Each structure stands twice: as C-alpha cells, then as structure tokens.
Amino acid sequence: MRVLMIGAGGVGDAAARIAADRDFFEAWVVADHDVSRAERTVAAATGRRAGEARFTAARVDASDATAVAALVREVGATHVLNAVDPRFVVPVFEGSRAGGADYLDMAMSLSRRHPEQPYAKVGVKLGDEQFAQAGEWEAEGRLALVGIGVEPGLSDVFARYAADHLFSEIDELGTRDGANLVIRDEDGNEVFAPGFSMWTIIEECLNPPVVWEKERSGDPDGGWFTLPPFSEPEVFEFPEGIGPVECVHVEHEEVLLMPRWVDAKRVTFKYGLGEEMITILRTLHTLGLDRTEPVTVKGVEVSPRDVVAAVLPDPLTIGPRMEGRTCAGLWVTGTGKDGRPRRTYLYHVSDNADTMRDYEAQCVVWQTAVNPVVALELLATGTWSGAGVLGPEAFDAVPFLDLLAAPKPAGYGSPWGLEDR
C-alpha cells in the first residue's frame, strides 16, 4: 500500500504520527499547499522510529482535481487519504479516481443550505455529490470509503456492530458527542479556542441539522428532513468522568450514512457545543461573519469565514494548553437480541494527557485521525474490501473494533466502551 495523504493540518499530522508506528504500508506521502507544513509532519513521523524512511513531502493544490490526479500518478499512490476540510472534498475525491487510486475521507461533500424551519424538505445533502458518482467508482473497481473519521466514522462502525450483534430492532441511532475540555492561556485562564477547524464548525453548526425517520422514507426526500439549528436540547450523561453535557442537533454525515446500510426507525446527531460556542456561532451568523462569499475590504477580497478561522489558534498548536477528555459515541435504543427493550451507549473516550504524551497531538484531532489509519490497515490486509462509494456501515465492524482496542504493538491500544442503561 502506498498512501498519499492530502492535508498536513492537525488531523493529518496526527494521522502520520499514528501510522508511523504501523507496518502495513510501503510509502506515505504527505502533501499540502504549504510544503513546509508537509515537511514538518514528515519530520515528526520519521522521528518516531529508527530507520524510518517511508514518509516524504510534496506540494499540491487540493482545490484542483487535475493536480491531485497528477500527484497520485507521480507518487504511485494506491490510496488517497483526504485530510483537508470539506470544501476540498470533491476535487480530491475526483482527482483520486482520475489518478487511479482508492480514496478515504473524514468529512463528505458539502450540503446546500436547507430551510431553517421544522420538518422542512432537504435540498443537496452532505455526500450527495459523492454518492452521485458511486456507479463510476464501482464500475472501475475502485473504493471510496467516505466518512471514516471519528464523527462520522467510529459511530458508524458502532451502528453496524449494534445492528449485527446487539439489537434485533432499532428505534433510534443517536450519535451523542461531548467533552469536558478546557483550554488555558499562559496565565492559566480559560480561553476560547476550538479543538478543530472553525471553518468546519461554522459550516456544520449553522446549517439546519438533518434528521432521518423511517416513517417518512416514502417521501421524495427519502426520510430526511431539517430542523432549526441547535434544536431539541437534551442533557446526556457521558462516561469516564465527563458527566452531563447539554447536546443539540447539528448537521452531520452520520444521519446521511447510517440509513443507507442499517435498519432503524430514526437517526440523529447531537453534539455538546456548550453555551459559549452556541452564543459565538449565533453572533457570527448575525454579523454575517459565517459567509463564505468574498467581500471587498480596502480593495482586497476576503471571505468573512476565512478571516474568522485565521484569527483563531490553529488546532494543531493548542494541545499543550488543553485539559480533559472528549467522548464520541452512539446511543442506540430498541429491542435486544433477547427480545427485551434495550438502551445502549457505545463510545470511545480520548484523554488529552494521553494523546499528548504518546503522539504530541491534542485529543480531538487524534481521535479523528486514528480511525482512517485503522481502516487503511484493514484494507491493506484485505480484511475490508469493496468497490463503489461506501460508508463504514458497509463493512464488518468487529475487525475494526478489535484492532482499535487491541494492545500495542498488535493493535492501536485504544479501547472502546459499552454501557447498557
């Protein structure tokens, strides 16, 4: 396996560090529009073990599918790992296929803004542009494994596991994510600094969230509908010391992926944003600072959202000032295999102290990055295989969860949990 990873931000940097400890690939090329960032990641990965020479750096414009395809051919990549933000998904996706490589990503092609009212019909959904090309990928025998980060990704694996091993009938697949993370300045005071791309946070949190219900599956929209942003708040109890966190609906890929492969009556995604983040997002929207269309400022065209993202700390740099844990998981309700009612939370917790000690990566980006590396290893060994545009739900969950949890060096040493409530 020869991997071309596009993007050397926080998640890409963490993925390379994780991969450096594994032996399943022959080469790993790190490409970024800023080659110095790629070189930094290569140096960090190479330094993890004596004699490491599999990592090299390259430059690429992720917005140019032709450039992506050319680099795929130049480096002989068998697989492209997309580690840039979602606005570049389509050119990297299309460039991978044109170059003759399989493809993985951690976020899917963007939606078109949906109406902001309850039970509104959806328009272009997350991933629609990719699923529209599924036939071409399948005909060519190529695999595009989409949404294989942590969210989407791990919760989708949990959905497959729950359907196959825990439940005979599922009422709801409800992704529920929360954290007790704190970021401090040099004086020890709490400060605002998002754990991952602010551009992406604005995109997914201010778009009307999508919900799927089976009883609506006969509608032209296939059971998907929207709610207003931050709808239906609920307090969810997170494990391993995180505790109760208020969660709200957010637009996310799981709701667009799970119903395609797993039978459930309802699919939702809720995230513990916190009052401060919700207030900031609403203010940005009111001021028009969430817009992506350029505006002219003193003769220079700039995107307001790009400016907001640029003035906040790079998620790659905040790890040493971060404390706490983040939890990604899936709340499943329905009927167990024994015919009795069942309510189960499947989850994975990442502690910042652990990821900084072991990988020099903050826990949010590390938890995202570990999952595509596990998936690549399963593809390299032939444990997972397929063609077309497929989500994590299309594959057997057990090998993934076993490899993730198994102690090092055989596995990744990152256990997942299950609570019946």
Side-chain angles (χ1 to χ4, degrees):
M1 176 179 281
R2 298 180 63 87
V3 178
L4 169 60
M5 183 179 73
I6 299 180
V11 173
D13 189 77
R17 292 170 188 259
I18 295 165
D21 296 344
R22 312 301 296 180
D23 297 321
F24 65 85
F25 61 95
E26 173 189 350
W28 189 290
V29 179
V30 182
D32 197 277
H33 71 96
D34 181 350
V35 74
S36 67
R37 286 162 57 95
E39 291 169 343
R40 174 206 63 208
T41 293
V42 167
T46 300
R48 290 190 63 82
R49 59 198 289 185
E52 177 62 78
R54 295 173 295 170
F55 291 85
T56 55
R59 186 189 180 282
V60 72
D61 179 357
S63 68
D64 184 345
T66 301
V68 171
L71 185 57
V72 169
R73 290 189 288 264
E74 178 185 334
V75 303
T78 60
H79 294 75
V80 173
L81 173 56
N82 183 350
V84 291
D85 72 50
R87 66 188 129 166
F88 301 112
V89 161
V90 172
V92 177
F93 174 78
E94 294 179 345
S96 301
R97 177 174 149 250
D102 288 357
Y103 168 90
L104 298 87
D105 65 30
M106 294 165 273
M108 296 174 66
S109 59
L110 295 174
S111 64
R112 303 292 184 268
R113 193 165 179 83
H114 311 307
E116 293 190 20
Q117 64 252 19
Y119 305 105
K121 291 184 176 294
V122 298
V124 176
K125 303 182 296 299
L126 293 167
D128 274 359
E129 291 180 82
Q130 292 171 282
F131 282 115
Q133 301 181 42
E136 289 89 337
W137 283 82
E138 187 171 8
E140 294 175 11
R142 296 281 171 206
L143 171 64
L145 174 48
V146 296
I148 186 62
V150 62
E151 308 292 28
L154 185 54
S155 62
D156 302 80
V157 173
F158 285 147
R160 177 79 274 151
Y161 182 82
D164 289 348
H165 300 282
L166 305 179
F167 287 80
S168 59
E169 185 177 50
I170 295 173
D171 292 334
E172 181 173 353
L173 295 167
T175 303
R176 298 291 184 269
D177 291 357
N180 61 357
L181 296 171
V182 173
I183 300 159
R184 303 187 186 277
D185 62 19
E186 294 178 355
D187 298 321
N189 301 310
E190 289 189 31
V191 295
F192 176 78
F196 61 102
S197 165
M198 189 61 187
W199 197 100
T200 304
I201 291 173
I202 292 171
E203 177 71 17
E204 64 189 25
C205 294
L206 286 178
N207 278 349
V210 178
V211 174
W212 187 88
E213 290 183 354
K214 188 173 185 178
E215 66 179 16
R216 297 171 181 268
S217 58
D219 293 349
D221 291 310
W224 285 288
F225 62 91
T226 67
L227 295 173
F230 317 120
S231 293
E232 299 180 355
E234 67 170 279
V235 175
F236 192 83
E237 186 75 26
F238 289 92
E240 298 193 20
I242 295 174
V245 178
E246 184 178 82
C247 298
V248 295
H249 281 295
V250 171
E251 181 193 45
H252 231 253
E253 288 91 341
E254 292 88 336
V255 178
L256 288 311
L257 285 170
M258 291 179 186
R260 298 176 189 269
W261 287 281
V262 181
D263 187 20
K265 295 177 182 176
R266 194 168 196 255
V267 183
T268 60
F269 179 96
K270 288 186 179 182
Y271 184 50
L273 289 172
E275 184 178 349
E276 180 184 31
M277 176 66 83
I278 290 174
T279 300
I280 289 170
L281 288 168
R282 283 178 166 152
T283 301
L284 291 174
H285 181 58
T286 299
L287 297 175
L289 294 174
D290 59 330
R291 291 171 51 192
T292 58
E293 302 82 3
V295 298
T296 302
V297 181
K298 296 184 178 180
V300 178
E301 285 198 338
V302 295
S303 159
R305 191 187 300 186
D306 287 346
V307 172
V308 172
V311 299
L312 288 168
D314 184 340
L316 180 65
T317 68
I318 62 175
R321 297 185 285 127
M322 182 183 282
E323 303 169 3
R325 296 174 174 178
T326 184
C327 179
L330 183 69
W331 175 236
V332 189
T333 61
T335 304
K337 295 292 188 182
D338 60 0
R340 301 172 62 185
R342 183 165 189 173
R343 296 152 56 89
T344 303
Y345 186 56
L346 301 96
Y347 66 90
H348 181 264
V349 171
S350 178
D351 189 313
N352 194 67
D354 294 339
T355 60
M356 287 299 298
R357 180 193 64 234
D358 296 340
Y359 295 94
E360 297 182 64
Q362 53 102 330
C363 61
V364 177
V365 299
W366 183 91
Q367 192 182 42
T368 302
V370 68
N371 297 288
V373 180
V374 173
L376 281 167
E377 183 159 348
L378 294 175
L379 292 170
T381 60
T383 305
W384 277 9
S385 63
V389 179
L390 303 176
E393 301 87 348
F395 300 87
D396 185 0
V398 172
F400 186 101
L401 295 174
D402 285 351
L403 187 58
L404 177 67
K408 299 175 184 178
Y412 287 73
S414 190
W416 56 282
L418 182 154
E419 288 185 358
D420 285 315
R421 301 181 180 180

